[in-house]
Amino acid sequence: MNHHNEATAEILKQALTMAFSLGANARDTDAGCLPVGADVVTLNRYTDEALAALAAQRVPAGTAVDQQQTGVYGKFAVRRVDGRDAPGGDRHGADYFVLDVTHDRFAKPALAAYSQACAGDYALLAQDLVTRYGLGDPGELIQPAVQDDYDIDLSDLEAEGKRVYRITHHYNIGNQDVYVEDPTGEVDGKRIALYCWYKACDWFGTGALISDLGIASVMVAFYGFRHCATHPFSTTVDLYHDAEGIGAEKYQALMNDPALHRDGLREAMAPHIEGAEVSVSQTLTQPAAPLCELPPCGVPDTPPAVREWIEQVSAAVRERLSGSISASVWAYLHSGTEYLCCDLTDTSGACFPMTVVAAGTLNLDRSYEEPHATNLAEALHLAALLVKALGATATFGRV
């Protein structure tokens, strides 16, 4: 109910008092909306306080209200049907904010954000809200402005939302979404999130699952993002649907982008991994069978699959570099893992960096810039094959 005059207030008190008097001892009747066991004096005090609060905030009837200038004001009279917000109740003093889902175009995005926030603790409530009001991503529910009392300029909010990314997964149980923001607005957060997702699958097995928080955390730690609050115009990154639908060409371009490589990324992801095919500690400490046979006689046995991979890498290098090529090869140790760097440059200064991870895992499929070998000897063998295929001049060590 909206604006009240004194007559309306008195009628309201009389009606409530009569309703209570007729069913004061009932618990499952209409009187159930009142405090159980209360008397008429308590009810009068309850209605007096409620009406006094309304009178303090209300806008006089017939007053024209500028919605954009007024802010929050008393427009509705709201109370709990179980009476718990009455004096003496455990919810006394509760403050309510009313949403008009039918006419207010911002109500559904607000409810969508609420349903996502409460889904972890109140899954049924969240699902009921989604089903009853047809909710989805809050940013997708904002409709174009119309010429009415709610017409405001959303351009600044939309521009701000372009820097915010919602990290989620289609098969999450409850709301596990995490929001991150690129302060510059110049970085493609979806591309970085998918790169990190694929690297996790590469390092820990396709049966592994890195949490939304894990992806967000490495984006913050390694790529300049920062954690932020939910945003109605954020860009959604679904680590299931987006990862499945990227396509082979875009996938290769993504995984072979040297600008996305970060030392220590694998170690930072490890605490966020669940369901790995082998445990993270096993992955780090138990070497797999080597790709190549490297006997003491110095005559290696290189499988055809490895030679084919070397040809593919050579072709990728030739697309980026031209003329004579130099290779700078050196090894380093970081967080207990051995790495072999093979940075390739041409006479113009263009560079094709490659770092072979000697971490006891085998994978040549994910990225040309960061293949995996079982040990440092095998990593050096791969680098030597590439240098020979390119006819490059190699220097060793950084002294």
Side-chain angles (χ1 to χ4, degrees):
M1 65 188 70
N2 289 327
H3 315 295
H4 297 281
N5 53 33
E6 298 302 322
T8 304
E10 186 60 31
I11 292 172
L12 174 64
K13 289 177 59 178
Q14 292 176 3
L16 291 176
T17 303
M18 181 178 295
F20 178 77
S21 299
L22 291 174
N25 296 322
R27 293 177 179 269
D28 297 320
T29 66
D30 293 341
C33 65
L34 303 173
V36 176
D39 55 20
V40 175
V41 176
T42 301
L43 178 61
N44 284 335
R45 182 171 68 252
Y46 173 47
T47 54
D48 284 341
E49 292 184 1
L51 293 172
L54 278 174
Q57 302 180 36
R58 73 187 182 189
V59 175
T63 302
V65 178
D66 185 341
Q67 301 282 354
Q68 294 183 340
Q69 300 298 323
T70 301
V72 177
Y73 65 95
K75 189 190 296 186
F76 301 95
V78 181
R79 64 185 178 86
R80 292 179 63 106
V81 297
D82 58 7
R84 291 172 61 190
D85 52 356
D90 63 332
R91 297 296 179 89
H92 181 225
D95 191 10
Y96 302 108
F97 185 85
V98 178
L99 296 176
D100 180 358
V101 182
T102 303
H103 302 100
D104 186 347
R105 64 194 181 88
F106 301 110
K108 284 191 176 182
L111 280 176
Y114 182 85
S115 69
Q116 292 177 1
C118 74
D121 295 328
Y122 302 99
L124 291 178
L125 171 61
Q127 185 56 51
D128 285 348
L129 289 173
V130 170
T131 302
R132 178 169 179 173
Y133 297 112
L135 306 179
D137 183 8
E140 297 172 355
L141 294 172
I142 296 279
Q143 299 299 319
V146 294
Q147 297 299 320
D148 60 15
D149 289 340
Y150 303 105
D151 186 11
I152 61 175
D153 185 5
L154 298 177
S155 57
D156 289 343
L157 192 61
E158 291 174 342
E160 181 184 82
K162 291 180 180 179
R163 304 195 304 266
V164 179
Y165 296 85
R166 178 171 70 99
I167 311 301
T168 187
H169 192 286
H170 178 73
Y171 287 105
N172 280 346
I173 299 176
N175 181 20
Q176 301 180 36
D177 298 352
V178 184
Y179 289 76
V180 293
E181 177 185 14
D182 168 35
T184 68
E186 299 175 355
V187 179
D188 187 344
K190 176 175 285 192
R191 199 163 181 269
I192 291 174
L194 291 178
Y195 174 84
C196 294
W197 172 264
Y198 290 131
K199 295 303 293 184
C201 295
D202 177 8
W203 287 325
F204 305 107
T206 55
L209 179 66
I210 182 170
S211 66
D212 301 344
L213 178 60
I215 294 294
S217 297
V218 296
M219 291 176 71
V220 170
F222 292 91
Y223 297 95
F225 286 76
R226 61 191 180 196
H227 291 287
C228 66
T230 61
H231 198 287
F233 291 100
S234 60
T235 298
T236 298
V237 183
D238 188 323
L239 297 173
Y240 176 76
H241 285 302
D242 289 330
E244 290 292 316
I246 191 172
E249 185 175 345
K250 289 184 178 180
Y251 169 79
Q252 289 295 337
L254 175 66
M255 303 311 293
N256 291 316
D257 185 351
L260 298 180
H261 170 76
R262 296 292 188 276
D263 291 336
L265 186 62
R266 181 174 185 270
E267 291 78 9
M269 287 182 178
H272 301 281
I273 298 297
E274 298 180 0
E277 293 173 353
V278 294
S279 69
V280 172
S281 60
Q282 288 177 321
T283 302
L284 294 174
T285 59
Q286 297 183 5
L291 282 171
C292 307
E293 294 292 335
L294 304 173
C297 65
V299 181
D301 181 9
T302 305
V306 174
R307 295 190 180 278
E308 181 180 351
W309 180 81
I310 292 294
E311 292 178 2
Q312 294 173 357
V313 178
S314 300
V317 173
R318 286 297 184 189
E319 289 180 359
R320 192 178 304 178
L321 308 182
S322 60
S324 60
I325 296 175
S326 299
S328 178
V329 182
W330 79 95
Y332 68 92
L333 183 67
H334 179 72
S335 298
T337 301
E338 294 178 321
Y339 298 83
L340 183 74
C341 292
C342 182
D343 288 346
L344 304 163
T345 56
D346 62 15
T347 53
S348 69
C351 181
F352 187 104
M354 185 175 78
T355 301
V356 186
V357 183
T361 57
L362 300 174
N363 203 309
L364 300 180
D365 297 330
R366 288 287 179 179
S367 171
Y368 294 151
E369 277 82 2
E370 196 174 277
H372 284 199
T374 56
N375 51 54
L376 196 59
E378 190 168 66
L380 182 60
H381 180 59
L382 294 176
L385 290 172
L386 181 59
V387 168
K388 182 178 180 181
L390 293 170
T393 301
T395 59
F396 293 85
R398 304 188 80 178
V399 295

